[in-house]
Amino acid sequence: MVRRKPYTNVIKRNQLRPEHVKGMGDVVFKGFNCLNSECRKFIFVRKEQIDKEFNIVCPTCGFVLHSQGESIFYDYQSVNIQDNSIIEEGQFTILHDDYINEAQEYKYCIICGTLKPLEFFDKHSARQSGRQGECRLCKTLYNSIKNQTRIIDQHREASEKRRLYGFLAREPAKIDAKAIYDKFEHKCFRCGRQLAYPEEGNIDHTLPAKLFWQISTGPTLLCSDCNNMAMFPLTQVNGLA
Ligand SMILES: [Zn+2]
Ligand SMILES: [Zn+2]
Ligand SMILES: [Zn+2]
């Protein structure tokens, strides 16, 4: 007889509830970079506060984005390549209305408390934002606890693997450890030590990062000593630390 998993009730304790996220589950923001090309500020404004007539001041540089406003980025001439005659001259101008109009919409996740693009939340037509309160990442994790489909260690392990596979070979299933061993003639790329396949590392079961060293041409076979000595640990090279 198949044993069924018990029904669960997930009891939350010590939940983080940052002040700035309270009541924000349905508030939609527009997010956009300050249009001053020297300024790196990314600005978020509540969508309902952006009227047809708007005036948004960058808190970092003071640049004003406003309705009917324009920003010029270069002067242009459109030239006929046959006779070099000028067809049109002008200035490459972004209208502030267009810029604000197309800006990505965001909202806070009421669980992880982060501001994320609206598309990161599942649809929920009954709600004012049209989206669920919690982001898809939080929802998936919660459901895995609720439905006991994963234990926490499996979750971490899976995440490690995704990380590694993600940059070694875009498509997770296509890592071919044997091919990598063969390519390097079963020798460490740095010290030349012979490495037995697969005893010195099985990418499915041990920490695969130990045996590979990311260089521009792809995964490189390394013994664990050399990997530890490598100038650029895998995680740093790929900005994943
Ligand atoms: Zn600015
Ligand atoms: Zn979340
Ligand atoms: Zn080595």
Side-chain angles (χ1 to χ4, degrees), residues 33-36 38-41 43 57-63:
N33 203 118
C34 172
L35 205 50
N36 168 7
E38 297 294 320
C39 180
R40 285 183 268 176
K41 179 70 178 174
I43 302 168
V57 182
C58 171
T60 299
C61 75
F63 183 89

Side-chain angles (χ1 to χ4, degrees), residues 153-198:
D153 285 348
Q154 283 173 335
H155 178 70
R156 290 228 174 78
E157 197 180 291
S159 151
E160 281 291 315
K161 275 186 187 164
R162 269 200 306 276
R163 233 155 60 122
L164 190 84
Y165 291 167
F167 61 74
L168 286 186
R170 303 278 169 233
E171 291 165 69
K174 291 201 175 154
I175 284 230
D176 185 349
K178 185 67 166 65
I180 295 164
Y181 272 81
D182 289 342
K183 181 178 162 196
F184 289 92
E185 298 175 312
H186 292 232
K187 285 179 197 151
C188 170
F189 177 69
R190 291 185 87 213
C191 74
R193 205 184 104 201
Q194 280 286 323
L195 296 171
Y197 177 85

